[in-house]
Amino acid sequence: MSTPAPTRLSFDADAIRALLPHRWPMLLVDRAYDVVPGKSGYGIKNVTISEPYFAGHYPDQSIMPGVLIVEAMAQLTAVVYASAWLAGAEQGSEAEVAARVGYLGAIRQVKFSRLVVPGDRLTLKAELGRPFDRLTPVTVQASVDGELAAKGSLTVSERTAGIPSGLQ
């Protein structure tokens, strides 16, 4: 007897806004796909010249800041997490799911290997590890046209009621 394939979900920009507490200009994931709730997923960040950080980040050579690439990978991680919570929640509770999205607790061994510039389509990948208490390790990467732009690991937390930092 074979194991059934895991459910894979897709989220457009409107669905991502419903899942995450982030808003423009800090919402950095345009689409998520092949999301296995609570396990893994892929995302897209379309990099455009109209993004506000390009006005001051190397104005003569527009480069997406590495910290925002890390943030995009962390937001994809939140979509993977939130999709599992949504699957277990009652219908219409997206706001409750978004309220649980936690915080980035650690950034480890993130290496950048390619500049990301306007016109690039950043493909993100996140694979959640085994959680320990409220912390979960995540392997992340970002690429453009199949060429690795960044990779490393993050530790994320779930926000819980009564604990403002989520990292305690």
Side-chain angles (χ1 to χ4, degrees):
M1 181 177 217
S2 64
T3 305
T7 301
R8 295 183 185 273
L9 305 174
S10 293
F11 299 91
D12 63 13
D14 292 331
I16 292 169
R17 265 196 311 275
L19 287 177
L20 301 184
H22 306 79
R23 295 296 177 261
W24 188 90
M26 286 306 298
L27 182 59
L28 299 175
V29 179
D30 296 317
R31 187 167 76 97
Y33 62 96
D34 286 347
V35 174
V36 178
K39 303 281 185 204
S40 63
Y42 293 87
I44 298 293
K45 165 64 180 146
N46 293 305
V47 182
T48 67
I49 191 64
S50 62
E51 299 190 51
Y53 51 82
F54 284 131
H57 193 259
Y58 294 90
D60 294 333
Q61 181 187 9
S62 301
I63 300 168
M64 183 176 184
V67 68
L68 294 181
I69 296 170
V70 171
E71 176 64 20
M73 293 185 294
Q75 287 181 20
L76 174 62
T77 299
V79 170
V80 173
Y81 246 124
S83 65
W85 298 330
L86 189 61
E90 296 176 17
Q91 191 160 355
S93 60
E94 288 92 355
E96 292 173 22
V97 169
R100 290 177 65 181
V101 171
Y103 304 100
L104 184 56
I107 302 169
R108 291 192 180 89
Q109 299 179 336
V110 173
K111 301 210 186 302
F112 300 94
S113 52
R114 180 194 191 283
L115 297 178
V116 177
V117 298
D120 284 346
R121 181 179 203 168
L122 198 58
T123 301
L124 311 165
K125 180 180 179 182
E127 291 184 30
L128 278 60
R130 186 175 194 176
F132 178 76
D133 195 21
R134 291 187 192 112
L135 300 175
T136 301
V138 186
T139 301
V140 292
Q141 71 178 43
S143 60
V144 176
D145 296 330
E147 184 180 350
L148 191 63
K151 75 182 234 179
S153 63
L154 310 175
T155 301
V156 297
S157 72
E158 178 181 346
R159 188 169 28 166
T160 57
I163 302 176
S165 76
L167 296 175
Q168 298 171 341

